[in-house]
Amino acid sequence: MTTSTATIASATPAAATVAEAAPHPVPSVHRRALLTWLAVYPTITAAFLLLGPRTAHLPLALRTLVMTAIVVPVAVYVLVPALLKADRKVTTALGAGRGSAT
């Protein structure tokens, strides 16, 4: 009897931690596409401005390889997560505003 009570007591904080660490809802595919585009377009534009003259002599396929080798990691690992985090904050703030208004 004591063992089951101790097990339940020790499991309760873990359950609360899991509930607090629940993942946020994922935005719709259309919203993610927009956020991805917002990350990729300026990054490609900046890469072409900075590296365009230096890579102009390369064949198109090699130029594309160089650009995508830079743009994709920056977008995937830095910009898209930052935009998703900002989107989550905005969505949460707007949702909280709507909930308190009703």
Side-chain angles (χ1 to χ4, degrees):
M1 190 89 155
T2 307
T3 306
S4 63
T5 306
T7 305
I8 292 170
S10 65
T12 305
T17 304
V18 171
E20 291 170 5
H24 299 283
V26 178
S28 72
V29 68
H30 305 296
R31 193 172 191 106
R32 285 180 304 192
L34 175 64
L35 293 172
T36 301
W37 181 83
L38 287 172
V40 169
Y41 177 77
T43 308
I44 290 173
T45 304
F48 273 118
L49 284 172
L50 296 172
L51 299 175
R54 292 185 180 103
T55 60
H57 67 283
L58 298 173
L60 179 61
L62 190 53
R63 226 178 334 166
T64 305
L65 178 67
V66 170
M67 292 296 179
T68 57
I70 295 167
V71 169
V72 170
V74 169
V76 169
Y77 294 114
V78 178
L79 299 175
V80 171
L83 286 170
L84 285 170
K85 184 177 180 180
D87 178 65
R88 188 170 40 247
K89 285 183 180 180
V90 168
T91 304
T92 303
L94 290 176
R98 288 183 193 151
S100 63
T102 46

